Amino acid sequence: MDPRKPFDEFRKLQETIHAYDHAMGLLYYDGDTTAPSASAPGRGRTMEVLSGVQYDLAAGDRARALVAELRAHPEALDDRERREVEVFARDLDYTSSIPKQEFVEYQVLVNEAGDVWHRAKPANDFKSFAPYLEKIVDANRRFAGYYKPEDKPYDVLLGLFERGLTMEACDAFFSALRREIVPLLEAVTAAPAPDTSFLHGTFPIPVQRILSDRVMALMGVDRTRCAIGETEHPFTTGFNKDDNRITTHYYENDVLSSLYSVIHESGHALYDMGSGDEYEYTCLAGGVSMGIHESQSRFWENLIGRSEAFCGLLAPILRELFPEQLGSMSARQLFLAVNRSAPSLIRTEADELTYALHVCVRYDLEKALIAGDLAVSDLPGAWNEKMKTYLGVTVPDDTRGVLQDSHWSGGAIGYFPSYALGSAYGAQMLAKMKESFDVDAAVAAGDLRKVSAWLEERIWRHGCRYDPGELLVRCCGGPFDPSYFTRYLKEKYTRVYGL
Amino acid sequence: MDPRKPFDEFRKLQETIHAYDHAMGLLYYDGDTTAPSASAPGRGRTMEVLSGVQYDLAAGDRARALVAELRAHPEALDDRERREVEVFARDLDYTSSIPKQEFVEYQVLVNEAGDVWHRAKPANDFKSFAPYLEKIVDANRRFAGYYKPEDKPYDVLLGLFERGLTMEACDAFFSALRREIVPLLEAVTAAPAPDTSFLHGTFPIPVQRILSDRVMALMGVDRTRCAIGETEHPFTTGFNKDDNRITTHYYENDVLSSLYSVIHESGHALYDMGSGDEYEYTCLAGGVSMGIHESQSRFWENLIGRSEAFCGLLAPILRELFPEQLGSMSARQLFLAVNRSAPSLIRTEADELTYALHVCVRYDLEKALIAGDLAVSDLPGAWNEKMKTYLGVTVPDDTRGVLQDSHWSGGAIGYFPSYALGSAYGAQMLAKMKESFDVDAAVAAGDLRKVSAWLEERIWRHGCRYDPGELLVRCCGGPFDPSYFTRYLKEKYTRVYGL
């Protein structure tokens, strides 16, 4: 037999799976962006059919037999092909551990839950969402047990988003962060805060839409391959290198919220769009983990986006688009204002210093939910308590509390730690980047292509070729070290607050 | 064997097909509304996979065997179920007559052609579009031959949009129309034209978006089941009763263009959304033919939308939203202006009198293209000539000429006559409706629900239960008679122009 034949069939299978992933991804995206509000049940019926086929393709007998055959003859494959088989097999092992009926029901459940959450959030109505979240928590716990019955369920879930991540590692990471952040935050809170009063005003949404276009252009986002839409909660999705979508949420009285969402989501999109052409339509295309993904989005949002050099690029655009509101704002004023640190209610709008504390809240709660130590009905109270403990803030309602994020409604439990991890990965990458060239000078000169090229070469183009740990070593020359991040925070806030 | 078993399987099969239709429909919709411009090839790959499955489901061995089994035992089914089998079988006969490879390639082709047309139209670049249109014309001619080799190909295509329609019927219909319209248009052209100068101005698009919402509300479009988007060419699509989409195109210097597009497309959406619940997820759901569909859209656009009573509802909304531009406009002024008749370049913006002449141009050209009497490369010249003959206008460029409509790029050849037919069906329905209640009085009172209820009872709720001819007889008490339409035009324009 031709030893390449199984591999050719394997490639063909991946292309077929890709078509279903595209259709399912588009159904979700459409549900969040454009679809009318009563459309969820009909979309659920379609998803039920398509996800059943997805399951059969990705985890059915033919897929298993192919993987077994390919693994039996590793010599017929090159390194990259062997990696492809292994990455595919991981998904197969996970998916096939779940009974098909439950897999399909779960797709239908998260579609419905997303719909319910969309109405529950603005209505401050946790009760209507709770039964869905209960089912999602149960399903996640069950799926973790099917997949790796010997492991703790929340460890399994963490590993789905960041291979190898465990509660033990998270606990160590988060306490290291808190050790540095808490005293720094105390010093910052005691110091005079930068002025942000000039940001108060009305910023018409049509003009904010133009601002999105301008900042995406500045970052070099190829708009022929990336569209922008509007949703309750900003996110990024993509179907292939040439078809990516980011979303944002405009608030008329807050120009920074959408601006930094757009920078963040564009960071995700750049990563996906920079994946190597040779990986397209295989399981190696796109980002390798949520931690690395967030490292890219938060790199742009914070390490670049909240740098003084980048504020020097933003300020003239903001002055031009909002002459009445911001006509006299200097770059320095903007830089200080976007780095004002204060405990707050909303994660996506938190400054870099308090951000990790928002993640800690979610991490603790997810851990307790999955362990069965916390009932969904007690979640709002527990949320408010944790917010008080970690951030010292009083949560006024569930809209700005436990209902603020879309992740849980979409079934993503174990995702949040990726944000903090990504922030820390990013700081380590920035330190390495600075060995190659003067990053601040390049940004100040508007030469963001230099930043992109560095990231593309070391991160983006590799797709899922390497596991996150290995990718980081290849990129930074050493294993993950969170002290880059804490040093970065200390230096930055010392400078901003003149500590 | 349980005689109901094959029917249960038949229903299940239709539900599965529906899921693929939903996914494919959404891919097209997304491609037209939101997707970034480079996304067409990737979408084409996905469509290739999904349309192959669509083909197998709708025209494969299992579907054939099921239909044969169900037909062999008609006594096991009730009337409605037998109709369901027959409607399904028609599609099956058509689809299965086309070789699968060609069917799939055609889906990919029209996705690509749509993309090319989107760029060609604004660029006035017919040359880039021509090779795609050639392939589309060839495929349509070939498909017609596969399906009904004994019939003339263009007759076959006409019948796909309006069952039973032929060139012979169209020729008779269009010459009857022209016989009445041409002298009427001459009289109108000689009379003083209504003033439209007050409509000149700038109408900001964000406010036009609000106008769309207001007019959809006025028409009773349930927005929880119908969204609105923006495209180069307005259209309506739907995936089930609870998930419908209309689109429009806003022009800043023309408030009527989008306004009447929204009314037209809402008419389509109302029809689809009014289809009987009992038909959902079967082949009997939704509109029965494009002629009946256009009868509903053009009913709202013209018979209602351009009536003096409806202008009485529109005028205060327009005055409120555009106080500077239209603050002093009266309902009477609006009524006269929207009924100004003059030969023009753009079909979708044509008045009721000249509209059918635009359709005649397309009908003649399609007929010649499919007969092989006209080459695609000669189409722009032939278009311009026909526009001169029928409407007396000189076409300045292909953007406002042969490239103006999206239909051919989407593979719809034989569709255009439905517009004229629909206009005439609508006039016959209006005459019948007037026997039931005072339509003008109801509209003037803002009681559009009365109009909807009448149409819902007689047209919408029947889905595809009856063929168009039978539906018309059931609705109007007699067969199709175009003289209702010509009488309507004569009365209306005599009144507007004081002839």
Side-chain angles (χ1 to χ4, degrees):
Chain A
M1 200 193 71
D2 176 0
R4 297 294 301 173
K5 237 185 122 185
F7 192 79
D8 292 343
E9 190 189 338
F10 173 62
R11 274 282 165 85
K12 189 89 197 138
L13 175 64
Q14 290 185 78
E15 288 181 20
T16 305
I17 290 171
H18 185 276
Y20 284 86
D21 290 349
H22 183 174
M24 284 290 285
L26 185 59
L27 284 159
Y28 278 114
Y29 175 79
D30 177 68
D32 273 348
T33 51
T34 308
S37 61
S39 65
R43 189 163 49 254
R45 292 176 73 135
T46 294
M47 287 174 156
E48 193 175 338
V49 171
L50 298 186
S51 64
V53 182
Q54 268 186 315
Y55 183 95
D56 290 338
L57 290 169
D61 292 343
R62 192 61 208 137
R64 281 165 175 285
L66 263 179
V67 165
E69 215 171 327
L70 292 164
R71 276 177 165 168
H73 299 285
E75 73 288 350
L77 307 178
D78 66 22
D79 268 4
R80 174 252 156 107
E81 290 166 347
R82 278 192 293 270
R83 166 78 182 173
E84 205 174 311
V85 173
E86 288 319 305
V87 168
F88 186 91
R90 281 182 198 164
D91 277 352
L92 184 152
D93 289 342
Y94 172 65
T95 305
S96 64
S97 75
I98 305 167
K100 179 175 173 184
Q101 185 63 22
E102 292 188 41
F103 177 87
V104 170
E105 278 168 9
Y106 185 69
Q107 309 305 316
V108 176
L109 171 64
V110 295
N111 171 58
E112 222 179 313
D115 180 56
V116 172
W117 172 81
H118 266 95
R119 277 175 276 125
K121 179 182 168 179
N124 186 33
D125 178 14
F126 182 77
K127 267 217 171 78
S128 69
F129 177 55
Y132 295 88
L133 185 54
E134 265 162 26
K135 282 187 203 164
I136 287 172
V137 169
D138 284 351
N140 272 277
R141 195 188 298 118
R142 225 165 47 238
F143 292 176
Y146 293 144
Y147 182 35
K148 295 191 171 169
E150 68 287 358
D151 291 356
K152 290 189 185 125
Y154 191 58
D155 275 345
V156 178
L157 298 178
L158 287 171
L160 292 175
F161 292 100
E162 194 70 5
R163 192 169 167 79
L165 190 64
T166 60
M167 288 186 272
E168 200 187 335
C170 279
D171 288 339
F173 172 57
F174 284 125
S175 43
L177 286 192
R178 279 202 301 267
R179 218 165 24 241
E180 300 287 337
I181 290 172
V182 170
L184 194 52
L185 185 58
E186 275 167 18
V188 157
T189 309
D195 177 31
T196 54
S197 62
F198 62 92
L199 290 167
H200 296 159
T202 301
F203 301 88
I205 288 170
V207 189
Q208 290 200 49
R209 291 197 184 99
I210 298 170
L211 176 61
S212 299
D213 294 338
R214 295 285 291 271
V215 77
M216 288 171 83
L218 190 61
M219 291 173 66
V221 177
D222 178 356
R223 294 298 295 276
T224 70
R225 304 193 288 133
C226 184
I228 178 167
E230 293 167 34
T231 50
E232 180 60 37
H233 198 94
F235 66 88
T236 300
T237 192
F239 311 124
N240 56 64
K241 274 190 72 167
D242 294 331
D243 193 349
N244 294 273
R245 319 292 172 94
I246 71 165
T247 73
T248 188
H249 190 128
Y250 295 108
Y251 297 94
E252 207 173 41
N253 61 354
D254 184 350
V255 71
L256 293 188
S257 171
S258 167
L259 173 59
Y260 278 93
S261 283
V262 168
I263 299 175
H264 177 99
E265 303 305 336
S266 292
H268 282 302
L270 284 171
Y271 181 19
D272 284 334
M273 292 160 77
S275 166
D277 287 334
E278 67 275 28
Y279 301 133
E280 277 294 271
Y281 299 97
T282 76
C283 62
L284 298 187
V288 67
S289 74
M290 287 328 299
I292 301 290
H293 238 302
E294 294 300 337
S295 82
Q296 301 307 292
S297 55
R298 294 188 59 77
F299 192 95
W300 286 98
E301 179 191 354
N302 295 319
L303 303 172
I304 300 295
R306 287 189 159 89
S307 69
E308 189 155 11
F310 193 78
C311 288
L313 303 176
L314 281 181
I317 299 174
L318 287 164
R319 284 196 298 261
E320 180 196 331
L321 293 179
F322 302 103
E324 282 172 40
Q325 302 92 325
L326 303 174
S328 61
M329 175 193 69
S330 71
R332 175 81 191 166
Q333 272 180 303
L334 179 65
F335 167 66
L336 293 174
V338 301
N339 287 295
R340 178 180 176 143
S341 175
S344 65
L345 293 166
I346 308 297
R347 176 185 59 84
T348 56
E349 288 165 20
D351 56 86
E352 286 177 88
L353 192 54
T354 58
Y355 187 88
L357 303 176
H358 288 265
V359 174
C360 288
V361 169
R362 288 149 180 83
Y363 168 68
D364 286 1
L365 296 174
E366 287 186 341
K367 205 159 69 163
L369 281 171
I370 295 295
D373 296 337
L374 174 66
V376 166
S377 56
D378 296 328
L379 186 59
W383 177 285
N384 298 351
E385 218 170 276
K386 285 275 173 198
M387 287 297 287
K388 192 86 200 164
T389 309
Y390 284 135
L391 285 140
V393 297
T394 303
V395 176
D397 52 43
D398 293 337
T399 302
R400 285 169 284 181
V402 68
L403 285 171
Q404 69 181 263
D405 291 312
S406 64
H407 302 61
W408 291 339
S409 77
I413 299 180
Y415 182 127
F416 283 113
S418 309
Y419 286 107
L421 213 54
S423 302
Y425 289 167
Q428 192 167 349
M429 291 173 196
L430 180 62
K432 190 72 190 171
M433 191 186 283
K434 284 185 170 176
E435 293 176 13
S436 298
F437 64 95
D438 185 338
V439 177
D440 283 323
V443 174
D447 190 8
L448 293 167
R449 180 63 207 143
K450 217 162 172 177
V451 174
S452 295
W454 194 95
L455 293 170
E456 183 169 15
E457 173 63 23
R458 284 161 186 81
I459 305 288
W460 304 348
R461 73 181 177 92
H462 299 296
C464 303
R465 183 71 177 82
Y466 309 107
D467 278 344
E470 187 183 350
L471 185 67
L472 206 69
V473 170
R474 294 177 77 103
C475 172
C476 298
F480 173 48
D481 177 353
S483 71
Y484 286 96
F485 183 48
T486 49
R487 267 202 305 281
Y488 161 82
L489 289 177
K490 195 156 191 174
E491 278 168 27
K492 178 161 192 178
Y493 283 94
T494 302
R495 193 154 78 88
V496 169
Y497 277 82
L499 300 178
Chain B
M1 200 194 68
D2 176 0
R4 297 293 301 171
K5 237 185 122 185
F7 191 78
D8 293 343
E9 190 189 338
F10 174 60
R11 274 283 164 85
K12 187 91 197 138
L13 175 64
Q14 289 185 79
E15 289 181 20
T16 305
I17 290 171
H18 185 277
Y20 283 86
D21 290 349
H22 183 175
M24 285 289 285
L26 185 59
L27 284 159
Y28 278 115
Y29 174 78
D30 176 69
D32 273 349
T33 51
T34 308
S37 61
S39 65
R43 191 163 48 254
R45 292 176 73 134
T46 294
M47 288 175 155
E48 192 175 340
V49 171
L50 298 185
S51 64
V53 182
Q54 267 186 316
Y55 184 96
D56 290 338
L57 290 168
D61 293 343
R62 190 63 208 135
R64 281 163 174 286
L66 263 180
V67 165
E69 215 172 327
L70 291 164
R71 277 176 164 168
H73 300 284
E75 72 289 350
L77 306 178
D78 66 22
D79 269 5
R80 174 251 156 104
E81 290 166 346
R82 278 191 293 271
R83 167 76 183 173
E84 204 174 310
V85 173
E86 289 318 306
V87 169
F88 185 91
R90 281 181 199 164
D91 277 351
L92 184 151
D93 289 342
Y94 172 64
T95 305
S96 65
S97 74
I98 304 166
K100 180 175 172 185
Q101 185 63 21
E102 291 188 41
F103 178 87
V104 169
E105 280 168 7
Y106 185 69
Q107 308 306 315
V108 176
L109 171 64
V110 295
N111 169 59
E112 222 180 314
D115 179 56
V116 172
W117 171 81
H118 266 95
R119 277 175 277 124
K121 179 182 168 179
N124 186 34
D125 178 15
F126 181 78
K127 266 215 172 79
S128 70
F129 177 56
Y132 295 89
L133 185 55
E134 264 162 26
K135 284 188 200 163
I136 287 172
V137 168
D138 283 351
N140 271 278
R141 195 188 298 118
R142 225 164 47 237
F143 292 177
Y146 294 145
Y147 182 36
K148 295 190 171 171
E150 68 287 359
D151 291 357
K152 291 189 184 122
Y154 190 58
D155 276 346
V156 178
L157 299 179
L158 287 171
L160 292 175
F161 293 99
E162 194 70 6
R163 194 170 166 76
L165 189 64
T166 59
M167 288 186 271
E168 200 186 334
C170 278
D171 288 339
F173 172 58
F174 285 124
S175 44
L177 286 192
R178 280 201 300 269
R179 220 168 18 244
E180 300 287 337
I181 290 172
V182 170
L184 193 53
L185 184 57
E186 275 168 17
V188 157
T189 309
D195 176 29
T196 53
S197 62
F198 62 91
L199 290 167
H200 297 160
T202 302
F203 302 88
I205 289 171
V207 188
Q208 289 200 49
R209 291 197 184 100
I210 298 171
L211 177 61
S212 299
D213 294 338
R214 294 286 291 272
V215 78
M216 288 171 83
L218 190 62
M219 291 172 67
V221 177
D222 178 356
R223 295 298 295 277
T224 70
R225 304 193 287 132
C226 184
I228 180 168
E230 293 167 34
T231 49
E232 179 60 36
H233 198 94
F235 67 87
T236 300
T237 191
F239 311 123
N240 56 64
K241 275 190 73 166
D242 294 331
D243 194 349
N244 294 273
R245 321 291 173 94
I246 70 165
T247 73
T248 188
H249 190 128
Y250 296 108
Y251 297 94
E252 207 172 41
N253 60 354
D254 183 351
V255 71
L256 294 187
S257 171
S258 167
L259 174 60
Y260 279 93
S261 283
V262 168
I263 300 174
H264 177 99
E265 303 304 337
S266 292
H268 282 301
L270 284 170
Y271 182 18
D272 285 333
M273 290 160 78
S275 165
D277 288 333
E278 67 275 28
Y279 301 132
E280 276 292 271
Y281 299 97
T282 76
C283 62
L284 299 186
V288 67
S289 74
M290 287 328 299
I292 300 291
H293 239 302
E294 294 300 337
S295 82
Q296 301 306 293
S297 55
R298 295 188 58 78
F299 193 95
W300 286 99
E301 179 191 355
N302 296 318
L303 303 171
I304 300 296
R306 287 188 160 88
S307 69
E308 188 155 10
F310 193 78
C311 288
L313 303 176
L314 281 182
I317 298 173
L318 288 164
R319 284 195 298 260
E320 180 196 331
L321 293 179
F322 303 102
E324 281 172 40
Q325 303 91 325
L326 303 173
S328 61
M329 175 193 69
S330 72
R332 177 79 191 166
Q333 272 179 304
L334 179 65
F335 166 66
L336 293 174
V338 301
N339 287 295
R340 178 181 175 143
S341 175
S344 65
L345 293 167
I346 309 296
R347 177 185 59 84
T348 56
E349 289 164 20
D351 57 86
E352 287 177 87
L353 192 54
T354 58
Y355 187 88
L357 303 175
H358 288 264
V359 174
C360 289
V361 169
R362 289 151 180 80
Y363 168 68
D364 286 0
L365 296 174
E366 286 187 342
K367 206 160 66 164
L369 281 170
I370 295 295
D373 296 338
L374 174 65
V376 165
S377 55
D378 295 329
L379 187 58
W383 176 285
N384 298 352
E385 217 171 276
K386 285 276 172 198
M387 287 296 288
K388 192 86 200 165
T389 309
Y390 283 135
L391 285 140
V393 296
T394 303
V395 177
D397 51 44
D398 293 336
T399 302
R400 284 169 286 181
V402 68
L403 285 172
Q404 69 181 265
D405 292 312
S406 64
H407 301 61
W408 292 338
S409 76
I413 299 180
Y415 182 126
F416 283 113
S418 309
Y419 287 106
L421 213 54
S423 302
Y425 288 166
Q428 192 167 349
M429 291 173 195
L430 179 63
K432 190 71 188 173
M433 190 186 282
K434 285 184 170 175
E435 293 176 15
S436 297
F437 64 94
D438 185 338
V439 177
D440 283 324
V443 174
D447 190 7
L448 293 167
R449 180 65 207 141
K450 219 164 172 175
V451 175
S452 295
W454 194 95
L455 292 171
E456 184 169 15
E457 173 62 23
R458 285 161 185 81
I459 306 288
W460 304 346
R461 73 181 177 91
H462 299 297
C464 303
R465 183 69 177 80
Y466 309 107
D467 278 343
E470 187 183 350
L471 185 67
L472 206 69
V473 170
R474 296 177 77 103
C475 172
C476 299
F480 174 50
D481 177 354
S483 71
Y484 285 96
F485 182 49
T486 49
R487 267 202 305 281
Y488 161 83
L489 288 176
K490 195 155 191 176
E491 279 168 27
K492 178 162 194 178
Y493 283 94
T494 302
R495 193 154 78 87
V496 170
Y497 277 82
L499 299 178

